Amino acid sequence: MAARMQSRKSGFLERTTASFVDALEHTFYAEETARAHGLLQRLDPRVKLLGILALIVPAAAARSFAVIGCLFAVTVVLAGLSRVSFSILLKRVWIAVLLFTGVIALPAPFVTPGRALYQLPWLGWTITSQGLASAGYLVLRVETAATLCVLLVLTTPWNDVLKALRVLRVPVIVVTILGMTYRYVYLLLQTAHDMFESRRSRMVGNLTGRERRRVAASSAGVLLSKTFDLSSEVYLAMQSRGFRGEVHILDEFRMRRFDWIMLAGFTLVSAAAFWWGR
Amino acid sequence: MSRTNSNGTGQLPVYEVCDVTYRYREVTALKHLNLTVNPGRRVVLLGANGSGKSTLLRILNGLCFPDEGNVYFCGRPLTAENIESDGFGLEFRRRVGLVFQNPEVQLFSPTVFDEVAFGPLQLRWPDGEIRRKISETLEMMEITHLKDRSPHHLSMGEKKRVALASVLVLDPEILLLDEPTAALDPKSESHMIDFLVQSKGSGKTIVTTTHDLDIVEDIADDCFVFHEGRIVAAAAPTEILSDVALLKQTNLLHAHLHVHKSGALHTHPHLHKHES
């Protein structure tokens, strides 16, 4: 959809909206993956959340390439057993993280003091082994942590991820607000998208920059006004069913033997990674 | 202060609306309105868009309160103070359910299951009871297969059914329905009408707002016609529907040019569904 929208000449806000819609379409893919019959999909979301955090922390703290590499390998195995497509991981995580973190890590080999490995011709900048190691650590750590986070999202319905946050003592009201935000962001994005489509359908020729900014500002105003109306209506609907300022939710998760075994597994791997990566 | 007058059957009216006026800033939505709803009756509030029906429904649900006049629920004044009180407030929410016209505002939970569970959880029912009632209600509304779905994946008809389920799970004695058949496809509309027809004799008091004249006879025992914030007629549905002058005056019926099969082109009054 985003590609179709961008194929026509469009303004900043249309492109932004299209990107949001595109991003939300990815979440549909995530929901499909979350329903697949894989290893992580079978796990209680609380165990998955804690287990993945237990792998992220040593990956971020380890001072050994071998340990971080092993954790990355564990992550890849988990992805394979959970039927998560490697091509998706490659495109959405590994390459994106490499580019993003690569830019951040780029100066490190030149500015970190240490043993000189190579000097760039013409520029005369020196690459140090310590600097190269720092950049390598950063990239590998971020690759591992990002892959683990994406695995959590791709193998768990988002609502279950939110509910699982309760195990980390996140207050019920925060979980509820996040759930409602996730629910209504679709509706508002759809509304914004429809507004822009409706405007385009009545447009002949191109608008000047000033006109485009004016239209964008007025659209934002209308959307804000609709958001206010919607939020008051939602509040009334909540009141109508007994909401009195305090939210109660139903705990649907049940720990099974498999969950306990996996929790023990995550704990063991995490402890070992901490020990070897000191 | 409670009211003790009865309606001749020994039972207090469910609602007594006495000389109620309600304003949205400069716009007066309800003007000196008087209305009584008796227990077990199926009442239809009939009127064109903007006639004040939905505003009255919100007042009957204790979501807003009149600028002038009083509303009594089972003899007790329906005021903000009473609604906020733990005893009366929780009891009122348990006994009265409102289904909004736009299901998007009513479906605020992440999944259908959570949506249906919301009401019972706020009323602090035990977990086991909540699960049992949710299961029964989903089955009754034939939406068990949607249990884990997110509302944004549902069709309008499915959303309306989930919205109704989220209220019916509380088994309210009084059901307030705001335009239940608006914007529905024929099959979903038929489901909704079947539900309303079957509710006859269930003992529930049902107040429905609509401008769909086709369904009034099937779903109403009593009918009130609204026009510009006033009740201009109150009678049995057959009587209201046979009063063409009244229906035309209240914009529920209109004449327009059309072609018959014979090819004749002329105008005469028609019944129409006015989509909001």
Side-chain angles (χ1 to χ4, degrees):
Chain A
M1 184 184 284
R4 284 200 303 275
M5 286 182 72
Q6 283 171 15
S7 65
R8 297 166 62 184
K9 192 173 181 181
S10 54
F12 168 75
L13 275 178
E14 287 100 324
R15 285 200 301 275
T16 310
T17 311
S19 308
F20 277 133
V21 172
D22 190 38
L24 290 172
E25 279 182 352
H26 286 310
T27 66
F28 281 96
Y29 166 77
E31 284 175 21
E32 269 175 37
T33 321
R35 281 197 291 269
H37 298 288
L39 177 78
L40 288 177
Q41 286 88 340
R42 288 171 57 201
L43 270 184
D44 183 298
R46 294 169 300 179
V47 172
K48 214 182 314 183
L49 181 70
L50 289 177
I52 282 177
L53 276 177
L55 296 183
I56 288 175
V57 174
R63 293 181 196 166
S64 152
F65 273 116
V67 170
I68 306 174
C70 283
L71 286 171
F72 185 74
V74 168
T75 307
V76 172
V77 170
L78 283 176
L81 293 175
S82 307
R83 303 185 179 191
V84 174
S85 154
F86 287 123
S87 68
I88 294 282
L89 286 179
L90 183 72
K91 277 188 280 186
R92 290 204 202 148
V93 188
W94 296 334
I95 292 177
V97 167
L98 188 65
L99 291 174
F100 185 72
T101 323
V103 171
I104 297 170
L106 198 60
F110 306 105
V111 299
T112 310
R115 188 167 58 85
L117 282 180
Y118 181 70
Q119 193 165 34
L120 290 181
W122 299 305
L123 291 170
W125 296 351
T126 307
I127 297 174
T128 64
S129 61
Q130 282 83 352
L132 210 54
S134 312
Y137 275 128
L138 180 66
V139 171
L140 198 53
R141 279 172 181 153
V142 176
E143 287 281 11
T144 310
T147 311
L148 283 165
C149 289
V150 169
L151 271 190
L152 173 69
V153 174
L154 287 181
T155 60
T156 322
W158 185 240
N159 305 316
D160 287 351
V161 176
L162 293 178
K163 282 185 188 170
L165 288 173
R166 293 274 297 128
V167 80
L168 300 177
R169 303 273 171 205
V170 175
V172 173
I173 190 73
V174 175
V175 172
T176 306
I177 289 171
L178 286 172
M180 287 177 73
T181 307
Y182 180 68
R183 156 80 182 96
Y184 282 107
V185 82
Y186 276 92
L187 193 63
L188 291 172
L189 281 173
Q190 193 59 53
T191 308
H193 180 255
D194 291 347
M195 279 165 60
F196 286 122
E197 285 291 300
S198 138
R199 176 165 66 81
R200 276 190 191 170
S201 72
R202 287 172 284 152
M203 257 174 54
V204 178
N206 291 325
L207 296 175
T208 63
R210 191 178 171 184
E211 285 168 334
R212 292 172 85 90
R213 281 194 296 278
R214 201 173 58 220
V215 171
S218 62
S219 302
V222 170
L223 194 61
L224 190 65
S225 165
K226 285 188 179 199
T227 310
F228 277 130
D229 288 346
L230 183 65
S231 63
S232 347
E233 290 280 295
V234 170
Y235 180 63
L236 288 181
M238 291 174 76
Q239 272 191 318
S240 172
R241 282 193 280 154
F243 176 69
R244 298 163 79 80
E246 197 182 331
V247 183
H248 305 272
I249 56 175
L250 205 55
D251 181 14
E252 297 165 76
F253 301 136
R254 293 281 175 275
M255 287 288 280
R256 295 160 303 155
R257 201 171 147 204
F258 175 69
D259 297 312
W260 288 112
I261 292 170
M262 286 299 289
L263 186 61
F266 279 125
T267 312
L268 271 177
V269 172
S270 178
F274 264 120
W275 178 259
W276 294 110
R278 285 175 298 159
Chain B
M1 195 175 70
S2 299
R3 286 163 71 94
T4 52
N5 60 316
S6 72
N7 50 15
T9 61
Q11 286 180 299
L12 281 170
V14 174
Y15 285 109
E16 278 182 281
V17 177
C18 307
D19 201 27
V20 160
T21 295
Y22 186 86
R23 298 183 192 89
Y24 292 101
R25 296 187 183 169
E26 293 85 25
V27 180
T28 306
L30 299 176
K31 298 167 188 165
H32 303 288
L33 208 73
N34 289 285
L35 169 84
T36 301
V37 177
N38 287 317
R41 302 295 287 176
R42 296 177 310 153
V43 175
V44 159
L45 310 180
L46 197 59
N49 289 337
S51 58
K53 317 180 294 287
S54 298
T55 304
L56 178 63
L57 224 50
R58 282 161 192 236
I59 290 176
L60 296 183
N61 196 229
L63 296 176
C64 52
F65 302 92
D67 293 309
E68 291 167 30
N70 296 299
V71 178
Y72 296 91
F73 172 74
C74 296
R76 290 195 62 180
L78 200 55
T79 58
E81 295 75 35
N82 280 342
I83 287 286
E84 278 161 23
S85 72
D86 265 353
F88 178 80
L90 284 177
E91 177 71 6
F92 179 79
R93 293 296 175 216
R94 193 189 61 73
R95 293 180 65 187
V96 183
L98 168 64
V99 180
F100 285 69
Q101 179 179 356
N102 176 8
E104 295 290 5
V105 305
Q106 198 166 344
L107 306 184
F108 45 78
S109 300
T111 65
V112 168
F113 180 90
D114 291 326
E115 195 59 66
V116 181
F118 183 85
L121 280 166
Q122 305 319 303
L123 298 181
R124 333 247 168 97
W125 288 10
D127 282 5
E129 173 75 357
I130 292 175
R131 285 176 210 282
R132 188 182 63 77
K133 279 297 290 181
I134 292 174
S135 171
E136 280 177 15
T137 311
L138 293 177
E139 208 169 308
M140 180 179 78
M141 297 304 293
E142 299 174 17
I143 49 172
T144 306
H145 60 290
L146 305 175
K147 186 167 77 85
D148 298 318
R149 298 268 297 277
S150 180
H152 59 256
H153 291 307
L154 307 180
S155 69
M156 182 54 85
E158 289 172 333
K159 283 178 185 171
K160 282 260 186 183
R161 278 155 81 180
V162 175
L164 185 57
S166 71
V167 170
L168 288 181
V169 70
L170 297 169
D171 199 15
E173 294 161 38
I174 299 115
L175 199 53
L176 310 174
L177 304 168
D178 195 359
E179 305 278 3
T181 56
L184 288 183
D185 59 71
K187 191 179 172 191
S188 304
E189 183 179 334
S190 152
H191 269 291
M192 191 59 79
I193 294 168
D194 286 351
F195 167 78
L196 292 169
V197 171
Q198 284 160 12
S199 64
K200 186 171 187 176
S202 65
K204 287 188 190 302
T205 306
I206 302 182
V207 182
T208 310
T209 70
T210 188
H211 42 212
D212 185 350
L213 299 179
D214 288 342
I215 65 171
V216 174
E217 265 187 305
D218 292 330
I219 66 166
D221 302 317
D222 306 317
C223 187
F224 294 88
V225 182
F226 278 60
H227 186 56
E228 295 177 352
R230 295 179 196 276
I231 292 176
V232 292
T238 43
E239 201 177 319
I240 297 286
L241 292 176
S242 60
D243 191 342
V244 175
L246 170 74
L247 297 177
K248 282 172 80 174
Q249 178 214 330
T250 52
N251 298 329
L252 289 162
L253 194 68
H254 65 94
H256 69 126
L257 204 63
H258 65 282
V259 183
H260 273 246
K261 276 184 181 170
S262 62
L265 183 69
H266 69 159
T267 61
H268 63 81
H270 272 78
L271 295 183
H272 277 279
K273 290 175 186 176
H274 298 243
E275 295 302 336
S276 336

